[in-house]
């Protein structure tokens, strides 16, 4: 490894600059990797590219751990595509709407639907939005509120679950750093222990029932709700998602595959002592891949039995879903390669050395949260943000003895917060489209809630840096309830004053 100095930051700077200017993380990561290889091997475009492929990209693909992660992601992609194109999610959501007769129930049922359809953050708006949109219009609830609920239960739920695409991707990034630093922590252990420190995810999820039960709207959302109460649909969009529905689709299309998945996991892992005993990562990924495969076979069989899709059609959807994971795999491979190049240049060692020189350990989670939020907001990509930030934050946290799991949670929360605030985020676009709401209207009405949750999360990460306790999450949720109540009360007082003046 090279002697750490400030030049080792050049690949990271190039990665950030290209990601922010092009709003494309793949371009940024490739630029960072290429520049790092040039620094290590000299300038010669043809030879450098050949070296990059032979000595840096190929080793990442042939690494057994990395290959296992990519294979698992491919199986997940196929299953998610089947789920989204089975009509089962719409059938499930339609069943939920039978008992909905009040505004509170409508909001809670769409919230519950978003939580239950956890297997895909992009599948939530695709499924929940079109089903609940007519119901929200009928009950005089704003489409902005539906978009807000969808956005609050898509990524925030998915990021907390270790055995779907989000968790597998994040654990892939974590394990790379632990292996490079020879740290005796498994990716599963780190992910699970970081869950209580994912403050923003929990705040985003729990603000929905809080607002629904007590009608504690504030800011532009309160105005949109008032107009909806008067029968005025504001911020409506003509754009709609092309969702698959079928008269024979059943809610069991959601339940049965998930049940099969759970049974396969139990049958393969329980004899090894899981979850009470640790199993190797390769065995766990093999079991997960098997579970997703048999769940897919179950769903394909159900659709054929009920006449929803032909076998050949379902297999085509499955294979297309597998192919859709290619960009995720590219991001992962480039992130692993950038981390490897950074180790050779001494990037992480240099950052850790500077941090040890006087940076307070308890501030690391808060700073990581802010940096991740800025990158995610500018790029509209939380996954790309994780790929950039994890190789920097994990070595720094270990070097200065900052609370590691709080730092991991800070990167994840920051990426999610920036994504929620970004008008160019994919989930922002899909949530507004699925609810039939104008994209800017969704961005404008959700922003105050996101900023409130982000502010609470930032203070919480400062507290977590000092206390290093998961109990900070409970305090954060209590603070959220109090602040939402106060803001709602202030908004109502402002309305009363305006009415009195007029």
């Amino acid at each position: 490894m090279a002697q750490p100095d400030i030049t080792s930051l050049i690949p990271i700077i190039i990665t950030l600059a290209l990601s922010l200017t092009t709003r494309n993380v793949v371009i940024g990561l490739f630029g960072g990797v290429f520049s790092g290889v040039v620094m290590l091997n000299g300038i010669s475009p043809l030879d450098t590219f050949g070296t990059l492929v032979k000595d840096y990209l190929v080793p990442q693909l042939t690494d057994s751990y990395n290959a296992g992660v990519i294979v698992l992601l491919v199986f997940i992609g196929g299953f998610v595509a089947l789920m989204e194109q089975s009509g089962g999610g719409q059938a499930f959501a339609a069943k939920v709407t039978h008992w909905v007769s009040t505004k509170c129930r409508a909001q809670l049922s769409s919230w519950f639907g978003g939580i239950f359809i956890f297997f895909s953050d992009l599948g939530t708006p695709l499924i929940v939005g079109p089903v609940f949109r007519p119901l929200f219009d009928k009950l005089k609830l704003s489409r902005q509120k539906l978009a807000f609920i969808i956005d609050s239960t898509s990524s925030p739920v998915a990021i907390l679950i270790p055995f779907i695409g989000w968790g597998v991707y994040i654990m892939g990034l974590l394990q790379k750093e632990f292996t490079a630093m020879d740290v005796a922590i498994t990716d599963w252990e780190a992910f699970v222990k970081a869950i209580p420190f994912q403050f923003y995810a929990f705040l985003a999820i729990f603000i929905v029932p809080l607002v629904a039960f007590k009608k504690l709207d504030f800011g532009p959302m309160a105005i949109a709700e008032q107009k909806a109460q008067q029968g005025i649909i504001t911020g409506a969009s003509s754009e709609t998602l092309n969702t698959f529905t079928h008269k024979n689709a059943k809610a069991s299309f959601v339940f049965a595959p998930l049940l099969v998945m759970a049974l396969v996991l139990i049958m393969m892992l329980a004899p090894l002592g899981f979850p009470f005993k640790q199993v190797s990562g390769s065995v766990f990924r093999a079991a997960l891949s098997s579970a997703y495969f048999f769940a897919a076979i179950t769903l394909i069989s159900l659709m054929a039995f009920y006449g929803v899709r032909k076998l050949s059609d379902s297999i085509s959807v499955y294979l297309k879903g597998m192919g859709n994971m290619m960009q995720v795999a590219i991001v992962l491979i480039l992130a692993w390669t950038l981390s490897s190049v950074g180790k050779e240049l001494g990037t992480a060692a240099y950052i850790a050395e500077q941090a040890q020189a006087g940076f307070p350990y308890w501030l690391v989670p808060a700073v990581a949260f802010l940096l991740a939020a800025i990158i995610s907001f500018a790029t509209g990509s939380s996954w790309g943000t994780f790929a950039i930030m994890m190789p920097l934050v994990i070595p720094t946290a270990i070097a200065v003895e900052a609370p590691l799991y709080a730092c991991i949670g800070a990167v994840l929360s920051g990426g999610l917060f920036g994504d929620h605030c970004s008008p160019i985020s994919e989930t922002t676009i899909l949530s507004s489209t699925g609810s039939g709401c104008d994209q800017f209207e969704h961005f404008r009405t959700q922003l105050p809630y996101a900023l409130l949750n982000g502010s609470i999360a930032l203070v919480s990460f400062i507290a977590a840096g000092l206390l290093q306790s998961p109990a900070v999450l409970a305090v954060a949720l209590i603070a959220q309830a109090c602040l939402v109540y106060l803001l709602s009360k202030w908004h109502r007082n402002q309305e009363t004053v305006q009415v009195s003046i007029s």
Side-chain angles (χ1 to χ4, degrees), residues 418-483:
D419 187 80
H420 257 192
C421 293
S422 177
I424 62 171
S425 160
E426 192 171 26
T427 52
T428 299
I429 295 168
L430 284 178
S431 296
S432 58
T433 307
S435 60
C437 172
D438 177 75
Q439 183 181 336
F440 181 75
E441 272 295 303
H442 170 45
F443 160 73
R444 187 176 70 90
T445 52
Q446 176 172 267
L447 187 60
Y449 295 92
L451 291 175
L452 172 66
N453 290 334
S455 300
I456 297 171
L458 177 60
V459 175
S460 300
F461 281 116
I462 294 174
L466 288 166
L467 303 175
Q468 305 186 25
S469 170
V472 174
L473 175 60
V475 179
L477 292 173
I478 293 170
Q480 179 192 55
C482 295
L483 287 172

Side-chain angles (χ1 to χ4, degrees), residues 297-368:
I297 289 178
T298 302
L299 184 51
I300 290 172
S301 302
L302 285 172
M303 287 193 288
F305 179 78
Y306 285 103
V308 174
R309 282 188 184 275
K310 295 179 181 179
L311 283 175
S312 58
D313 189 19
S314 296
I315 292 172
S316 295
V317 171
Y318 185 63
L319 294 176
K320 185 178 179 181
M322 286 181 156
N324 289 341
M325 297 305 288
M326 180 57 68
Q327 184 168 342
V328 175
I330 290 171
V331 171
L332 257 182
I333 292 166
L334 287 174
W336 287 328
T337 307
L338 182 63
S339 176
S340 178
V341 170
K343 295 297 183 298
E344 290 190 43
L345 289 171
T347 306
Y350 175 75
I351 294 174
E353 184 181 279
Q354 299 308 305
Q356 284 177 309
F359 192 81
Y361 74 91
W362 53 270
L363 263 183
V364 175
V367 172

Side-chain angles (χ1 to χ4, degrees), residues 115 348 394 415 456 474 495:
I115 291 175
I394 291 176
I456 297 171
E495 286 181 339

Side-chain angles (χ1 to χ4, degrees), residues 404-419:
L404 178 61
Y405 304 123
C407 291
I408 293 171
V411 171
L412 301 179
S413 282
L416 198 58
F417 172 48
D419 187 80

Side-chain angles (χ1 to χ4, degrees), residues 170-423:
I170 292 164
M171 286 190 285
L173 296 173
L174 296 178
Q175 189 59 49
K176 183 70 177 177
E177 300 311 310
F178 295 152
T179 301
M181 300 193 69
D182 197 25
V183 176
I185 302 174
T186 65
D187 50 356
W188 173 272
E189 179 187 1
F191 185 93
V192 171
K193 288 188 176 181
I195 289 176
F197 294 102
Q198 291 199 45
F199 299 132
Y200 186 84
F202 284 104
L203 291 167
I205 293 169
F206 284 102
I207 197 171
V208 174
L210 182 64
V211 170
F213 275 122
K214 296 297 182 180
K215 301 178 182 179
L216 301 179
D217 292 302
F218 58 89
M221 184 70 78
I223 297 171
E225 284 294 287
Q226 289 167 7
K227 291 183 177 179
Q229 180 62 35
Q230 298 166 9
I232 304 171
I233 299 178
T234 59
S237 171
S238 58
E239 293 183 46
T240 56
L241 288 170
N242 295 319
T243 58
F244 177 82
T245 57
H246 196 283
K247 62 180 180 179
N248 295 335
K250 307 294 181 183
S252 60
F253 290 5
V254 174
F255 295 108
L258 295 179
L259 179 61
V260 169
M261 188 187 300
L263 289 174
V264 171
L265 281 175
I266 291 171
M267 291 170 64
M268 294 186 70
L269 297 178
L272 302 176
F274 185 83
F276 304 105
K277 292 183 180 179
Q278 183 178 321
V279 298
S280 70
S282 60
V283 171
F284 183 74
R285 285 186 294 278
L288 265 181
S289 297
S290 301
Y292 274 102
F293 177 70
F294 284 106
I297 289 178
T298 302
L299 184 51
I300 290 172
S301 302
L302 285 172
M303 287 193 288
F305 179 78
Y306 285 103
V308 174
R309 282 188 184 275
K310 295 179 181 179
L311 283 175
S312 58
D313 189 19
S314 296
I315 292 172
S316 295
V317 171
Y318 185 63
L319 294 176
K320 185 178 179 181
M322 286 181 156
N324 289 341
M325 297 305 288
M326 180 57 68
Q327 184 168 342
V328 175
I330 290 171
V331 171
L332 257 182
I333 292 166
L334 287 174
W336 287 328
T337 307
L338 182 63
S339 176
S340 178
V341 170
K343 295 297 183 298
E344 290 190 43
L345 289 171
T347 306
Y350 175 75
I351 294 174
E353 184 181 279
Q354 299 308 305
Q356 284 177 309
F359 192 81
Y361 74 91
W362 53 270
L363 263 183
V364 175
V367 172
F369 173 77
L370 284 174
L371 289 176
I374 292 169
I375 296 170
S376 182
F377 175 81
T379 62
S381 172
S382 51
W383 283 35
T385 300
F386 304 153
I388 293 170
M389 289 294 295
M390 286 300 183
L392 302 178
V393 171
I394 291 176
T396 302
I398 292 173
V400 302
E401 298 184 351
L404 178 61
Y405 304 123
C407 291
I408 293 171
V411 171
L412 301 179
S413 282
L416 198 58
F417 172 48
D419 187 80
H420 257 192
C421 293
S422 177

Side-chain angles (χ1 to χ4, degrees), residues 34-271:
F34 191 83
S35 65
V37 173
V38 168
M39 291 174 66
L40 289 168
N41 299 279
I43 301 175
S44 176
L46 293 179
D47 290 342
T48 300
F49 192 82
T51 302
L52 187 156
V53 173
K54 178 172 62 75
D55 296 339
Y56 294 93
L57 291 179
V58 171
Q60 300 304 327
L61 285 169
T62 55
D63 180 87
S64 61
Y65 176 88
N66 296 355
V69 169
I70 292 172
V71 168
L72 176 53
L73 283 173
V74 168
F75 280 114
I76 292 175
F79 174 73
V80 168
L82 281 175
M83 273 288 207
E84 292 175 351
Q85 296 299 316
S86 69
Q90 283 80 1
F92 164 74
K95 278 189 173 296
V96 174
T97 60
H98 285 322
W99 63 276
V100 176
S101 57
T102 65
K103 292 183 177 183
C104 180
R105 285 185 177 183
Q107 293 175 77
L108 291 178
S109 59
S110 59
W111 177 71
F112 175 74
I115 291 175
F116 187 82
I117 303 170
F118 60 84
F119 44 81
S120 170
D121 60 312
L122 303 183
T124 300
L126 187 89
I127 294 169
V128 176
V131 171
F132 282 91
R133 186 170 62 231
L135 185 64
F136 269 56
D137 290 347
K138 179 183 176 182
L139 294 173
K140 296 183 177 180
L141 283 164
S142 69
R143 293 187 179 183
Q144 291 92 323
K145 175 63 71 67
L146 178 58
F148 163 67
I149 294 172
I150 291 172
D151 217 350
S152 298
T153 54
S154 52
S155 302
V157 172
I159 203 172
L160 296 172
I161 301 173
F163 54 83
I164 64 173
W166 280 73
V168 173
Y169 173 83
I170 292 164
M171 286 190 285
L173 296 173
L174 296 178
Q175 189 59 49
K176 183 70 177 177
E177 300 311 310
F178 295 152
T179 301
M181 300 193 69
D182 197 25
V183 176
I185 302 174
T186 65
D187 50 356
W188 173 272
E189 179 187 1
F191 185 93
V192 171
K193 288 188 176 181
I195 289 176
F197 294 102
Q198 291 199 45
F199 299 132
Y200 186 84
F202 284 104
L203 291 167
I205 293 169
F206 284 102
I207 197 171
V208 174
L210 182 64
V211 170
F213 275 122
K214 296 297 182 180
K215 301 178 182 179
L216 301 179
D217 292 302
F218 58 89
M221 184 70 78
I223 297 171
E225 284 294 287
Q226 289 167 7
K227 291 183 177 179
Q229 180 62 35
Q230 298 166 9
I232 304 171
I233 299 178
T234 59
S237 171
S238 58
E239 293 183 46
T240 56
L241 288 170
N242 295 319
T243 58
F244 177 82
T245 57
H246 196 283
K247 62 180 180 179
N248 295 335
K250 307 294 181 183
S252 60
F253 290 5
V254 174
F255 295 108
L258 295 179
L259 179 61
V260 169
M261 188 187 300
L263 289 174
V264 171
L265 281 175
I266 291 171
M267 291 170 64
M268 294 186 70
L269 297 178

